[in-house]
Amino acid sequence: MDLILKYFPDLTARQIEQFAALEALYKDWNSKINVVSRKDIDELYLRHVLHSLGIAKVIQFSDNSSILDVGTGGGFPGVPLAIMFPNCQFHLVDSINKKLKVINAVSEAIGLTNVRTTHSRVEAIDETYDFIVSRAVTAMPEFTKWVKGKTAKKQRNELKNGILYLKGGDLTEELKQYTTVKAYLLSDYFEEDFFDTKKVIHLPLKHN
């Protein structure tokens, strides 16, 4: 938890309380339903919570923004972002229902009212959002196909509506076809070695 306060010192008392509650809740749920890998659960704040909040270093979502989290798994990046931006709406989607059960229980336990979950493939979601977030569920060309037509027309943020993707490694080949893509290095914001090759990829998408 100190790690979160190190990089986000201006959290409200409520946000601190919510972030602090995550470790015990996820450890308890992880013993029943494996949503976080065994080796990662002891580093939940570094590898999952802070990693998710890398997006909050790149953008401060305007109030009333809507965000779709694709392949959310145990709720990352959606749950930490929902705590960080209580005046935005988050829709967390995954094809594995038992993981959503954990998200719903965690959200209820910490009083998150701006999160909803849907058990579905993302292609079947028929709504539009300001941003679509995810953590490396597939290569970007495939991902853009999945989320085609799901970007809202109206702009309410400094960054253009589109994808905010958490991914690591050399992405030159994967992203070469996109002229408007921008990569933000998480090592510019966080000093821990874990973030050395991690990035937030912003790809604007037109409403269509």
Side-chain angles (χ1 to χ4, degrees):
M1 185 58 209
D2 292 342
L3 204 51
I4 307 305
L5 290 170
K6 173 180 172 182
Y7 292 110
F8 297 93
D10 301 325
L11 296 174
T12 65
R14 172 121 174 104
Q15 287 171 317
I16 292 170
E17 193 179 286
Q18 289 175 319
F19 278 123
L22 292 180
E23 184 170 35
L25 285 165
Y26 273 105
K27 280 189 169 174
D28 180 49
W29 274 104
N30 219 48
S31 64
K32 307 170 202 168
I33 297 170
N34 192 20
V35 288
V36 176
S37 76
R38 296 279 186 248
K39 69 176 180 358
D40 281 3
I41 193 69
D42 290 328
E43 292 191 84
L44 183 79
Y45 286 105
L46 173 70
R47 291 171 174 264
H48 295 281
V49 181
L50 191 59
H51 189 205
S52 298
L53 294 176
I55 289 172
K57 287 294 187 186
V58 170
I59 183 172
Q60 289 287 303
F61 292 122
S62 301
D63 286 358
N64 302 314
S65 293
S66 59
I67 296 102
L68 173 69
D69 180 1
V70 176
T72 186
F76 303 101
V79 168
L81 290 173
I83 296 173
M84 186 63 72
F85 300 105
N87 298 318
C88 298
Q89 296 302 314
F90 290 83
H91 187 185
L92 279 53
V93 175
D94 204 281
S95 58
I96 301 172
N97 199 32
K98 66 181 182 180
K99 294 185 176 182
L100 300 177
K101 180 181 171 186
V102 175
I103 296 168
N104 292 336
V106 168
S107 298
E108 189 176 340
I110 64 174
L112 270 188
T113 56
N114 59 335
V115 168
R116 63 188 170 108
T117 59
T118 302
H119 174 221
S120 171
R121 292 179 60 82
V122 67
E123 298 95 323
I125 301 292
D126 189 22
E127 295 177 52
T128 59
Y129 306 85
D130 298 304
F131 289 96
I132 298 154
V133 301
S134 193
R135 280 210 305 180
V137 290
T138 187
M140 188 64 88
E142 182 72 8
F143 191 74
T144 54
K145 285 183 201 163
W146 292 359
V147 301
K148 187 173 165 55
K150 301 191 195 316
T151 316
K153 191 172 185 178
K154 182 183 175 185
Q155 294 282 333
R156 56 173 101 233
N157 289 273
E158 284 184 23
L159 285 185
K160 287 186 175 173
N161 292 357
I163 293 168
L164 288 164
Y165 210 48
L166 288 161
K167 204 153 190 200
D170 183 354
L171 305 174
T172 314
E173 190 66 27
E174 184 176 327
L175 300 176
K176 69 179 181 182
Q177 65 179 281
Y178 304 107
T179 54
T180 56
V181 76
K182 180 163 182 188
Y184 297 85
L185 306 177
L186 287 183
S187 57
D188 288 348
Y189 308 102
F190 306 137
E191 63 185 17
E192 287 72 20
D193 292 346
F194 174 74
F195 297 106
D196 281 355
T197 64
K198 304 282 194 296
K199 303 174 184 75
V200 175
I201 308 297
H202 174 231
L203 177 63
L205 292 181
K206 288 196 174 85
H207 170 80
N208 51 16

